[in-house]
Amino acid sequence: MSGVNFKLKRQSSETMLELSQKIIDEMTKGFFSSEIEVCNIEHVGDTEVLLLGFERYYLRAGSSAAVIIQCICTGDTQMAVVSGLGGETGLLHESWGANEDIAYKVLGILRTYGFAQEKEESMKCGRKNYP
């Protein structure tokens, strides 16, 4: 499986519940909306951890792509990791950009709410890269 990861950061006193509602509202509205599959907020001491997962069917890929969003809030510092994955089809496991498309949508949403991108990286999970 291939995909793309983004790492972001911001300073904010907004709670993970407030942030999750904004992300859910943006991801589930409009004609090209995504379905929410996972929404979980945990508290560990003074740290809040948000986990969101969305899925969307892409006609061009003939399958669904997913995005996982993990946000960690400690004090006023919030860090987010966005991972777009799936959407692959056929013998060559081609996603036709579906996994990147859904991840870039979340990246845009998070930037709207003050997150700045720190790092982008491709990921390959336990298989050879095919031409």
Side-chain angles (χ1 to χ4, degrees), residues 89-125:
T89 187
L91 294 174
L92 298 178
H93 300 282
E94 183 61 54
S95 74
W96 302 103
N99 50 24
E100 292 177 0
D101 190 45
I102 196 168
Y104 276 106
K105 182 175 181 179
V106 173
L107 179 64
I109 292 167
L110 292 176
R111 283 181 174 162
T112 300
Y113 294 112
F115 280 87
Q117 186 175 347
E118 291 190 325
K119 190 174 182 183
E120 174 184 345
E121 57 191 34
S122 294
M123 60 180 182
K124 300 288 181 187
C125 299

Side-chain angles (χ1 to χ4, degrees), residues 29-129:
K29 73 178 182 183
F31 182 73
F32 294 106
S33 65
S34 301
E35 292 182 39
I36 185 161
E37 301 292 341
V38 176
C39 180
N40 189 40
I41 299 173
E42 295 292 334
H43 296 84
V44 181
D46 292 338
T47 302
E48 277 187 294
V49 180
L50 167 66
L51 182 66
L52 290 171
F54 295 91
E55 183 178 47
R56 179 170 167 220
Y57 181 78
Y58 284 82
L59 187 59
R60 71 175 178 257
S63 66
S64 293
V67 64
I68 304 298
I69 307 152
Q70 179 187 34
C71 296
I72 300 171
C73 177
T74 305
D76 286 343
T77 302
Q78 297 178 351
M79 296 178 297
V81 177
V82 177
S83 299
L85 38 114
E88 296 176 343
T89 187
L91 294 174
L92 298 178
H93 300 282
E94 183 61 54
S95 74
W96 302 103
N99 50 24
E100 292 177 0
D101 190 45
I102 196 168
Y104 276 106
K105 182 175 181 179
V106 173
L107 179 64
I109 292 167
L110 292 176
R111 283 181 174 162
T112 300
Y113 294 112
F115 280 87
Q117 186 175 347
E118 291 190 325
K119 190 174 182 183
E120 174 184 345
E121 57 191 34
S122 294
M123 60 180 182
K124 300 288 181 187
C125 299
R127 72 169 177 82
K128 295 180 181 177
N129 296 334

